[in-house]
């Protein structure tokens, strides 16, 4: 039996819910990632509890084992729609797709995928043509070899619809001044640091051993003709040896201590514990304690959480009637009623807010012949029929009655109320393609991805 069935059964009595046998141990979570339908790992409570106990709070979720899918405790409900996917093409008409996930106990009515047409750009880019090359620029250097370049413009013709020209806009080639450049001296890389003048540091003395490294002006050496500049700055560096070690002391943990009460007053929660790395503390580059200084362990209040009631969907309106009077196909108004139920309230949850019953004024036109009618405007295009391969969309016009001789607003001594027409009348419009009640058309969605 699922957690949802058990929760509904609890309406007959909490005692029966708490003692119903046959549930297996599960992995319990405080939260789930509804966009992808997985349990939130950071919200893991623990194991060793039943699905019934985990679902004492219907906001929780569980797995039967580590490899199983995540199951939400609450009744089945659609997640929010995802963002529309990028259009399948960058120009002309394509399609975009969005999805949603059914999360919870049971099935969700409706579709999990929707597809609709999209147009990012009405036209596709067209290539342009290059102008003639410009003159070569002067050489970039005054001695030895450098670079010269030339350019051209994409305007012969100008590209259309954000198009471009194929090939480079700029060309560069080598140029030779036939002049020798002077070579300035540059240092080689620093050599390795030499050995420290001592083997260790005396703690608290403030005096450190030293080490030295050198470099040479040969990368390259300065030229003599024409004369180059010699290397600047120092050829030697000294530094203190501050990294020599003291004797290490590795840290050890003290015992765990409870630092909080159970995080909830119903269902399952967490208790936080802490420990300190001071038994002893690490010193002189000794290793720190391995592991975390805090942890959370599961706590069980053994109390189900309150579940607020939710209204059922409104049913269809009742038959349009008037007490002791036949009003069908007449211009005398009647009344219609509908009522809904508050469902699921248990364990001290709130009762549903709002009205349980509604009524409205109406005319009964069921199977009545309405002589005057007209075609509606075209409806909006429907969503595309498939997410891949061949996909279609459609729209329609319907023959609508024109009611004459009826009062569409009733005025009494106490209020003004809108009147509704109840039932399906008999109508007939001038034929369109031989049809007098409804006409439709279908077209193919463009640039749908292949399956």
């Amino acid at each position: 039996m699922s957690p949802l069935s058990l929760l509904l059964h609890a309406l007959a009595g909490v005692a029966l819910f708490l003692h119903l046998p046959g549930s297996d141990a599960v992995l319990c979570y405080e939260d789930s990632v509804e966009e992808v339908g997985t349990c939130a790992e950071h919200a893991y409570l623990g194991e060793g509890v039943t699905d019934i106990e985990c679902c004492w709070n219907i906001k929780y979720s569980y797995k039967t084992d580590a490899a199983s899918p995540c199951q939400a405790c609450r009744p089945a409900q659609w997640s929010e729609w995802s963002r529309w996917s990028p259009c399948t093409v960058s120009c002309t008409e394509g399609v975009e797709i969005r999805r949603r996930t059914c999360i919870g106990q049971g099935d969700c009515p409706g579709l999990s995928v929707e597809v609709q047409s999209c147009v990012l750009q009405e036209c596709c880019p067209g290539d342009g043509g290059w102008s003639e090359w410009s003159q070569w620029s002067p050489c970039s250097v005054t001695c030895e070899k450098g670079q010269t370049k030339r350019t051209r413009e994409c305007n012969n013709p100008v590209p259309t619809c954000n198009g471009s020209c194929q090939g480079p806009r700029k060309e560069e080639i080598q140029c030779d001044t036939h002049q020798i450049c002077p070579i300035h001296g540059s240092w080689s890389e620093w050599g390795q640091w030499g050995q420290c003048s001592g083997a260790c540091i005396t703690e608290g003395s403030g005096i450190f051993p030293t080490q030295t490294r050198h470099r040479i002006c040969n990368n390259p050496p300065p030229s003599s003709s024409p004369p180059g500049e010699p290397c600047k700055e120092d050829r030697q560096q000294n530094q203190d040896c501050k990294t020599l070690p003291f004797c290490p002391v590795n840290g050890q943990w003290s015992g765990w201590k409870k630092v909080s009460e159970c995080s909830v007053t119903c269902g399952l929660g967490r208790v936080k514990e802490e420990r300190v790395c001071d038994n002893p503390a690490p010193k002189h580059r000794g290793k720190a304690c391995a592991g975390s200084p805090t942890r959370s362990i599961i706590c069980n209040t053994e109390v189900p959480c309150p579940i607020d009631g939710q209204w059922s969907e409104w049913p269809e309106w009742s038959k349009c009637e008037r007490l002791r009077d036949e009003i069908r196909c007449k211009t005398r108004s009647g009344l219609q009623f509908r009522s809904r139920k508050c469902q699921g309230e248990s364990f001290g949850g709130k009762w549903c807010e709002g009205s349980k019953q509604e009524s409205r004024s109406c005319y009964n036109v069921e199977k009545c012949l309405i002589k005057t009618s007209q075609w509606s405007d075209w409806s909006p295009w429907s969503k595309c029929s498939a997410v891949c391969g061949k996909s279609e969309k459609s729209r329609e016009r319907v023959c609508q009655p024109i009611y004459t001789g009826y009062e569409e607003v009733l005025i009494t001594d106490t209020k003004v109320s809108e009147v509704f027409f109840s039932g399906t009348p008999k109508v007939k419009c001038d034929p369109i393609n031989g049809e007098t009640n409804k006409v439709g058309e279908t077209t193919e969605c463009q640039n749908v991805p292949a399956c």
Side-chain angles (χ1 to χ4, degrees):
M1 184 178 290
S2 69
L4 176 59
S5 300
L6 292 173
L7 288 174
L8 294 176
H9 191 65
L11 294 174
V14 175
L16 178 60
F17 177 92
L18 295 176
H19 296 91
L20 189 64
S23 297
D24 296 324
V26 298
L27 310 179
C28 190
Y29 296 79
E30 291 178 299
D31 199 5
S32 60
V33 185
E34 294 199 353
E35 292 80 5
V36 295
T38 60
C39 292
E41 293 302 327
H42 70 273
Y44 176 66
L45 274 177
E47 58 185 355
V49 296
T50 66
D51 56 347
I52 301 173
E53 291 174 314
C54 187
C55 288
W56 278 344
N57 189 329
I58 64 171
K59 297 179 181 178
Y60 285 8
S61 56
Y62 66 90
K63 295 181 181 179
T64 56
D65 55 62
S68 298
C70 186
Q71 301 185 50
C73 290
R74 61 172 171 74
Q77 180 179 327
W78 284 116
S79 67
E80 294 294 325
W81 282 107
S82 67
R83 294 179 181 272
W84 286 105
S85 68
C87 199
T88 53
V89 292
S90 60
C91 57
T92 69
E93 181 183 327
V95 294
E96 54 190 7
I97 304 170
R98 67 176 182 177
R99 292 178 168 84
R100 60 180 177 176
T101 304
C102 183
I103 301 170
Q105 303 293 319
D107 297 323
C108 300
L111 299 174
S112 62
V113 181
E114 285 188 342
V115 184
Q116 68 179 11
S117 298
C118 53
V119 178
L120 298 182
Q121 187 170 295
E122 294 292 344
C123 59
C124 291
D127 290 341
W130 290 111
S131 67
E132 295 294 327
W133 286 104
S134 67
Q135 296 295 319
W136 289 103
S137 66
C139 196
S140 60
V141 296
T142 58
C143 60
E144 294 189 352
K145 295 180 181 180
Q147 296 290 324
T148 180
K149 63 182 180 180
R150 64 178 181 175
T151 61
R152 57 182 177 175
E153 301 298 327
C154 182
N155 60 5
N156 186 34
V158 175
T160 59
C161 200
N162 297 321
S164 61
C165 290
Q166 301 298 317
R169 182 179 177 274
K170 180 175 65 174
E171 281 187 347
E172 290 189 3
I173 60 174
Q174 192 179 70
C175 52
D176 192 344
T177 65
H178 303 289
Q179 299 291 325
I180 298 176
C181 294
I183 299 174
H184 304 305
S186 181
W187 291 112
S188 65
E189 295 293 326
W190 284 103
Q192 297 291 325
W193 286 104
Q195 291 188 346
C196 293
S197 59
C200 62
I201 300 171
T202 302
E203 185 176 7
S205 68
I207 300 174
F208 299 92
T210 60
Q211 57 185 167
T212 303
R213 67 177 182 178
H214 300 84
R215 59 181 177 177
I216 303 172
C217 186
N218 65 352
N219 188 33
S223 61
S224 57
S225 178
E229 296 179 359
C231 297
K232 299 178 180 178
E233 301 178 347
D234 297 329
R235 63 184 302 273
Q236 176 179 307
Q237 281 186 340
N238 299 318
Q239 71 173 10
D240 292 334
C241 296
K242 295 183 178 181
T243 59
L244 297 176
F246 296 112
C247 295
V249 177
N250 296 331
Q252 297 290 332
W253 289 113
S254 61
W256 288 104
K257 293 183 179 180
K258 179 180 173 182
V259 295
S260 72
E261 299 300 324
C262 193
S263 60
V264 296
T265 57
C266 64
L268 304 179
R270 300 174 183 270
V271 171
K272 185 178 180 181
E273 293 184 337
E274 292 182 351
R275 59 182 177 175
V276 181
C277 187
D278 62 355
N279 188 34
K283 187 178 181 183
H284 300 322
R285 299 182 182 274
K287 294 181 180 179
C289 297
S292 173
T294 63
R295 71 178 181 182
S296 293
I297 60 174
I298 195 170
C299 54
N300 191 345
T301 66
E302 299 185 357
V303 177
C305 294
I307 302 175
D308 296 339
Q310 293 188 353
W311 286 116
S312 65
E313 295 294 326
W314 285 106
E316 295 294 328
W317 287 97
S318 66
K319 182 180 178 181
C320 181
E321 297 178 314
R322 186 169 182 171
L323 187 63
R324 295 189 298 276
D325 195 0
E326 175 59 45
I327 62 172
R328 190 177 74 85
C329 301
K330 299 179 181 179
T331 57
R332 290 196 294 275
S333 66
L335 288 174
Q336 289 179 289
F337 300 90
R338 65 179 181 178
S339 60
R340 57 183 177 175
K341 296 180 180 180
C342 185
Q343 302 173 332
E345 180 272 331
S346 60
F347 306 122
K350 295 180 181 179
W351 191 255
C352 303
E353 297 182 359
S355 174
K356 179 181 179 181
Q357 189 175 42
E358 288 184 339
S359 64
R360 67 182 187 183
S361 300
C362 58
Y363 290 110
N364 189 333
V365 295
E366 176 65 25
K367 297 183 179 178
C368 300
L369 178 61
I370 305 300
K371 296 181 179 180
T372 307
S373 58
Q374 65 181 9
W375 287 106
S376 68
D377 293 331
W378 282 108
S379 68
W381 284 107
S382 69
K383 298 292 189 298
C384 295
S385 60
V387 298
C388 63
K390 185 176 181 180
S391 185
E392 295 179 334
K393 56 186 178 181
S394 61
R395 62 178 182 175
E396 65 180 17
R397 297 176 69 184
V398 296
C399 184
Q400 297 177 331
I402 299 177
Y403 296 107
T404 58
Y406 293 88
E407 292 290 341
E408 296 189 11
V409 175
L410 291 181
I411 303 177
T412 67
D413 294 337
T414 58
K415 63 179 181 178
V416 176
S417 62
E418 182 181 0
V419 179
F420 296 85
F421 293 91
S422 173
T424 304
K426 297 178 180 179
V427 293
K428 185 176 181 181
C429 293
D430 294 335
I432 297 179
N433 296 330
E435 299 292 335
T436 59
N437 287 294
K438 181 168 69 174
V439 292
E441 63 180 14
T442 301
T443 187
E444 188 171 345
C445 295
Q446 301 298 310
N447 294 306
V448 180
C451 293

